[in-house]
Amino acid sequence: MALTIYVYTCACTNTVRGHHTATCKLRSQMALYQLNRAVTVLTLLTIFLTSSPLSARASAASAAAKSLHFSLFQHETINKTAYIIVEGIPGTGVVSQTTTPFGTLYAYQDPMTVSANRSSKVVGVVEGTSVSTSFDGLQSISIAKITLDLKRHKGSVSVVGGTHNTKPSEHPVVGGTGDFLFVQGTVTSSPVDLRGLTVTYRIKFDLYWPPYVIKS
């Protein structure tokens, strides 16, 4: 809002009388009135902006914004919780336990536990698929839905992104359900044990709720 303040400079001197003196006084009064009016409007505008419901909602939303950080462990057993659906075309890499041929389509439904021990408490399941996209067989594009049953949070988190078979891989969160509705952030998968038929990954969650989400 633009406020224009008119300030009049009186050119009359003490020797001026009659009409000119009256005009000078009138202009001075108008200038003072405009100044007082501008100060009043600015004061009211400040009070409105700092006490309006919109400002209160914004402050409440900012206070309600939160984040959640924790780790679980994914256990994947070939031909039990994970299967190769389509064999790929062998590339330049050597086919091994940690590599899959280019174009390999893979699907899995793996349990998630609270520790690296397979017999520890199961608190989630990850369902997904991946396609090998590198000729050395070490990288793929993955899509997954992670269903969680935690003490204070229940629902699912969906992720998509690139995965490296032997290195940590960060996947952006693209959505959520239940207590994870509107959630944002990343899910990072890191190999823990790649030996044997069952391999273990540490899954680190860095989740953030946007400020406009106010949980009841």
Side-chain angles (χ1 to χ4, degrees):
M1 177 182 292
L3 299 176
T4 304
I5 302 175
Y6 298 94
V7 178
Y8 295 94
T9 302
C10 182
C12 300
T13 65
N14 292 332
T15 60
V16 178
R17 296 291 185 270
H19 176 71
H20 294 288
T21 301
T23 302
C24 180
K25 291 177 64 177
L26 178 60
R27 288 180 175 177
S28 297
Q29 291 173 354
M30 291 178 61
L32 183 60
Y33 169 77
Q34 291 285 354
L35 180 60
N36 289 335
R37 181 183 178 188
V39 172
T40 301
V41 171
L42 286 174
T43 301
L44 292 175
L45 183 60
T46 301
I47 294 174
F48 172 78
L49 290 177
T50 56
S51 62
S52 66
L54 180 61
S55 176
R57 287 196 298 270
S59 299
S62 179
K66 71 169 189 176
S67 63
L68 187 63
H69 307 272
F70 62 96
S71 293
L72 298 175
F73 293 85
Q74 174 185 355
H75 305 273
E76 185 170 282
T77 305
I78 190 67
N79 293 332
K80 183 177 180 181
T81 67
Y83 294 85
I84 293 177
I85 308 303
V86 177
E87 291 279 358
I89 302 172
T92 57
V94 178
V95 177
S96 67
Q97 186 174 355
T98 57
T99 60
T100 52
F102 180 81
T104 298
L105 177 63
Y106 197 73
Y108 51 90
Q109 186 183 60
D110 301 332
M112 303 188 76
T113 61
V114 296
S115 76
N117 187 338
R118 175 66 181 83
S119 61
S120 61
K121 183 179 180 180
V122 176
V123 293
V125 59
V126 52
E127 306 166 82
T129 184
S130 65
V131 179
S132 298
T133 53
S134 65
F135 287 107
D136 61 5
L138 286 172
Q139 299 182 67
S140 59
I141 298 297
S142 301
I143 302 172
K145 174 189 174 186
I146 305 171
T147 303
L148 300 171
D149 186 6
L150 307 178
K151 184 176 181 180
R152 296 183 179 179
H153 297 84
K154 301 180 188 301
S156 69
V157 174
S158 296
V159 299
V160 63
T163 300
H164 195 286
N165 291 353
T166 61
K167 297 179 181 180
S169 303
E170 188 177 73
H171 304 91
V173 173
V174 296
T177 65
D179 292 331
F180 299 100
L181 188 64
F182 298 118
V183 77
Q184 302 171 354
T186 60
V187 173
T188 303
S189 172
S190 302
V192 174
D193 186 359
L194 299 178
R195 299 167 299 176
L197 291 178
T198 299
V199 296
T200 303
Y201 299 90
R202 178 176 181 262
I203 309 299
K204 183 175 182 291
F205 296 81
D206 292 298
L207 307 177
Y208 303 87
W209 281 262
Y212 57 80
V213 178
I214 302 177
K215 301 182 76 62
S216 57

